Amino acid sequence: MKFIWSLLFFLFYFSSYSQDTQQDSAVSEGPIGMTVEQFNRRIKTTNKLLLVYFSADWCVVCKRQKPVLHQVFSEIWKDAELLSINLENNPLIAEYFEIDALPALILYKDGYMVWNRVGFQEKEKILDLLKGYIKR
C-alpha cells in the first residue's frame, strides 16, 4: 500500500498540474501526521455534524471540490464542521480508511459515519444532505 501511495505521489508531483496556493478559511487543513486515535477522538468529541474531506495536492478534482466546500460551509458553519485531511500529510489516516480514490467525503453525526462518497459532489447535494441531518 505504501508503495502505491509513493508511486502516485511521485507521478503527480512531477506532473504539470499547478499547485493551488490560495488559503480558504472555511476549508482548512487538518493537522499533519494525524494518528488514527486522534482522528477518532475528533469524531467523537464534536457536537456538530463533521464532514471529513480527504484530498491531495496533486488531485485535480479535489481542487474543484475545495471551493464548493468553502461555499457550503460559509452558509452552515454554525451547525457543521469541516475537517480537511491531506492524504500526503496523513498517510496513517489514508491507510486506515483504505482511501483509493479522491476526493472522498465522509459525514459523521454523534460519532458515527452516516454518509460517504467518492468523487466530485455538487454544492446543492452537500447542502441538502447536511441540512437534512441538522434537522434530525
Side-chain angles (χ1 to χ4, degrees):
M1 186 71 171
K2 289 181 182 179
F3 174 75
I4 293 170
W5 282 108
S6 298
L7 181 61
L8 285 172
F9 176 75
F10 177 79
L11 290 173
F12 287 103
Y13 182 78
F14 291 102
S15 70
S16 61
Y17 295 121
S18 65
Q19 297 296 318
D20 183 15
T21 58
Q22 183 180 13
Q23 294 285 12
D24 289 333
S25 58
V27 184
S28 59
E29 285 296 319
I32 294 175
M34 180 182 246
T35 65
V36 174
E37 181 181 303
Q38 290 169 327
F39 181 84
N40 286 330
R41 191 175 323 123
R42 174 71 189 275
I43 291 169
K44 298 204 184 301
T45 58
T46 186
N47 296 331
K48 299 179 179 181
L49 284 175
L50 179 65
L51 183 64
V52 182
Y53 166 58
F54 295 97
S55 66
D57 293 337
W58 47 261
C59 173
V60 176
V61 180
C62 299
K63 291 179 183 185
R64 287 183 46 226
Q65 186 72 69
K66 188 174 181 178
V68 170
L69 292 172
H70 178 76
Q71 292 171 1
V72 168
F73 280 86
S74 69
E75 293 181 31
I76 62 160
W77 60 272
K78 292 181 182 179
D79 300 311
E81 293 181 48
L82 178 69
L83 176 60
S84 179
I85 298 186
N86 184 317
L87 294 185
E88 295 169 344
N89 297 334
N90 295 285
L92 294 175
I93 303 297
E95 195 172 310
Y96 177 76
F97 280 100
E98 299 178 1
I99 303 290
D100 57 359
L102 293 173
L105 297 167
I106 301 177
L107 180 63
Y108 290 91
K109 181 175 173 101
D110 300 324
Y112 295 98
M113 181 175 56
V114 294
W115 178 88
N116 65 39
R117 293 292 181 275
V118 173
F120 182 80
Q121 303 298 311
E122 297 290 334
K123 175 185 174 184
E124 294 76 24
K125 183 176 182 178
I126 298 170
L127 265 174
D128 290 344
L129 171 79
L130 292 173
K131 287 178 180 178
Y133 279 103
I134 290 168
K135 291 178 183 178
R136 293 182 189 176

